Amino acid sequence: MDYRKEFERMMKSQREIALATLTDGRPNVRIVNFYYESECNTLYFSSFADNQKVVEVDKNPHIAFTTISANGEEHVRVQNGVARRCQVSIDTIKDKFLAKMPDYMMSIPEMLPALVLFEVTFDRADVVLDFEHMENITL
């Protein structure tokens, strides 16, 4: 089985991740939409600038996430992600979010100034198809 191909398929088709941050020694998990750019192995998500996750990521950039599947058990899990405010303009990447999620909040021009764009880099991922088919891959 080509787990790298399965990784790419899931990152393209799945729309949400459960994002885990750490603040004051306590984990905090929430659901966020994402876009994954395979050419640079980078996951992007946005947040309103006044959201607590912005403070948490700025304070400690080490994150973990799991994609959320609509198809049973299959998911991607990353434990060694590093998130940082993105140097790329949200205008530059918004069309990629909208191609994946046409109803995403980036479709409302008034929302863009209120959003902070984050990029997440990682070099390993667990690819889980079901309880019998899983593998840790290096990207």
Side-chain angles (χ1 to χ4, degrees), residues 1-33:
M1 176 159 316
D2 186 343
Y3 283 94
R4 175 62 189 237
K5 185 182 257 184
E6 292 298 317
F7 168 83
E8 295 289 340
R9 178 186 62 78
M10 284 188 267
M11 295 302 282
K12 184 176 182 176
S13 66
Q14 295 176 357
R15 297 173 47 154
E16 298 173 317
I17 58 172
L19 173 71
T21 59
L22 189 66
T23 181
D24 299 325
R26 299 180 67 124
N28 193 4
V29 178
R30 78 277 285 154
I31 306 299
V32 297
N33 291 305

Side-chain angles (χ1 to χ4, degrees), residues 10 15 17 21 54 74 92 101 104 118 126 134:
M10 284 188 267
R15 297 173 47 154
I17 58 172
T21 59
V54 173
E74 67 179 25
T92 304
M101 300 164 277
Y104 193 56
F118 287 93
D126 293 325
M134 58 186 81

